Amino acid sequence: MIHDARVLQEDWVPRELHHCEGQIQHFSSELKPITHGLGGENVLVTGPSGTGKTTIAKYVVEQFTQQVLGIRYGYTNCTSDSTKAAVCHSLV
């Protein structure tokens, strides 16, 4: 049973993620250069629907935005924007 309706909002990110330490560490290590003014690595996150890919990505990016001022990022739902052109248009 859902006790907090916020979890159904697309932009909601939990304050803590449990049992995802390995994925969070890997994702964070790819973006770590950003904290030193360098470019981060491209990260492709794949897996079955509903496994937390988007939640982990948003969680890690939110952590980085708290550490690095002026960081810019974008999010697009590739289910509805499934072509490269649609993704680019969505991000612009």
Side-chain angles (χ1 to χ4, degrees), residues 25-58:
Q25 182 63 34
H26 178 72
F27 200 121
S28 296
S29 70
E30 297 298 321
L31 299 178
K32 184 102 174 145
I34 293 172
T35 62
H36 302 291
L38 304 171
E41 295 295 321
N42 292 324
V43 179
L44 176 63
V45 182
T46 63
S49 179
T51 57
K53 299 177 300 294
T54 301
T55 299
I56 290 172
K58 287 180 176 183

Side-chain angles (χ1 to χ4, degrees), residues 8-73:
L8 301 175
Q9 295 174 347
E10 188 172 327
D11 61 345
W12 184 79
V13 179
R15 292 180 190 225
E16 296 179 13
L17 290 178
H18 302 285
H19 312 293
C20 302
E21 293 82 10
Q23 294 90 337
I24 292 169
Q25 182 63 34
H26 178 72
F27 200 121
S28 296
S29 70
E30 297 298 321
L31 299 178
K32 184 102 174 145
I34 293 172
T35 62
H36 302 291
L38 304 171
E41 295 295 321
N42 292 324
V43 179
L44 176 63
V45 182
T46 63
S49 179
T51 57
K53 299 177 300 294
T54 301
T55 299
I56 290 172
K58 287 180 176 183
Y59 177 83
V60 170
V61 168
E62 188 171 287
Q63 299 300 311
F64 273 84
T65 59
Q66 293 174 7
Q67 294 176 20
V68 181
L69 296 176
I71 189 173
R72 294 180 353 188
Y73 66 95

